[in-house]
Amino acid sequence: MGQAPLAMEILNPTGQIIKSNKAWQQRWGINEEKAKEVTASYNMLDDPQIVELGIAPQVQKAFAGEPVILTMIEYSGQRAAKDVDMPGLQVKTVWIQCHLFPVKDKQNEIEFVVNTYNDLSAQIIANQERERILTLSKDLISIAGTDGYLKYVNPVWEPTLGYSAKELLEHPFLDFIHPEDQERTKQEL
């Protein structure tokens, strides 16, 4: 666990963190000393953000013995710090997807729950930046599929060509190319 590249925590059956790894500390941007304070105060089953984000039922399934992959969430580290009564703690906000795996003993009782974090923050930020560029561009930008249909057109297409985005995406893009240019366009594809 100590050398694992993924942020990991082990929680007891009542939801408290009993162990975390260095990657977990890095994920939240805290040192080992602060990690001890956080883990002593945090309980996943009582986390108000988990309730507000609508994933409490999924988390409860994991603590009832079922492996669970949570939906992606934007988790506020600052909010969590306040919730565990450590408001001065500077903790990152991240987009994460957690994988919760209950580990059972010989009597089939939950011994602990392993939580691994898949940090999607960089991917989300890149997607937001791409979307911003595509939306704000004054140029006609599209994404075409190998099936001959446009998959995306930026907002400039509609006023420039007079077709709605819906129309442009519902028809093969060759339908919008002048008949004299269609053969040459097919060759370029």
Side-chain angles (χ1 to χ4, degrees):
M1 180 171 155
Q3 296 175 4
L6 291 176
M8 298 173 69
E9 64 191 17
I10 296 175
L11 302 109
N12 68 20
T14 62
Q16 291 196 286
I17 300 171
I18 53 177
K19 189 171 184 179
S20 63
N21 67 355
K22 290 252 186 239
W24 183 89
Q25 294 170 24
Q26 291 169 345
R27 171 58 33 243
W28 298 113
I30 57 177
N31 61 30
E32 191 172 343
E33 181 183 320
K34 290 294 181 189
K36 287 178 185 176
E37 291 178 47
V38 170
T39 58
S41 304
Y42 179 80
N43 187 307
M44 188 173 208
L45 293 172
D46 295 334
D47 186 332
Q49 278 190 89
I50 287 176
V51 173
E52 291 166 16
L53 293 166
I55 59 172
Q58 292 174 290
V59 170
Q60 289 164 354
K61 279 184 184 178
F63 282 87
E66 185 179 327
V68 174
I69 299 174
L70 299 178
T71 55
M72 179 181 63
I73 59 169
E74 183 179 22
Y75 191 83
S76 170
Q78 288 306 115
R79 165 75 189 281
K82 285 181 185 173
D83 291 341
V84 296
D85 202 26
M86 298 176 73
L89 187 64
Q90 297 299 311
V91 187
K92 297 177 182 178
T93 292
V94 293
W95 283 94
I96 54 174
Q97 182 178 43
C98 293
H99 299 239
L100 297 164
F101 302 97
V103 177
K104 298 177 183 179
D105 62 18
K106 291 178 183 178
Q107 289 77 35
N108 208 30
E109 297 292 322
I110 295 174
E111 198 170 335
F112 53 88
V113 175
V114 177
N115 183 9
T116 60
Y117 293 78
N118 187 8
D119 185 353
L120 304 170
S121 300
Q123 179 183 348
I124 295 296
I125 291 167
N127 287 345
Q128 289 171 340
E129 181 65 13
R130 183 197 69 189
E131 190 62 32
R132 188 183 70 76
I133 290 167
L134 294 174
T135 302
L136 296 177
S137 176
K138 304 276 187 225
D139 296 323
L140 293 171
I141 299 175
S142 66
I143 298 173
T146 56
D147 60 357
Y149 286 81
L150 295 171
K151 304 299 179 189
Y152 171 85
V153 293
N154 69 339
V156 178
W157 281 70
E158 195 167 332
T160 304
L161 299 180
Y163 296 102
S164 71
K166 185 177 187 284
E167 290 174 291
L168 290 163
L169 300 177
E170 286 179 341
H171 300 281
F173 60 79
L174 284 175
D175 288 0
F176 301 101
I177 295 176
H178 191 278
E180 292 176 11
D181 296 327
Q182 286 187 4
E183 193 55 45
R184 187 176 52 171
T185 302
K186 287 179 190 175
Q187 291 173 5
E188 290 295 321
L189 298 173

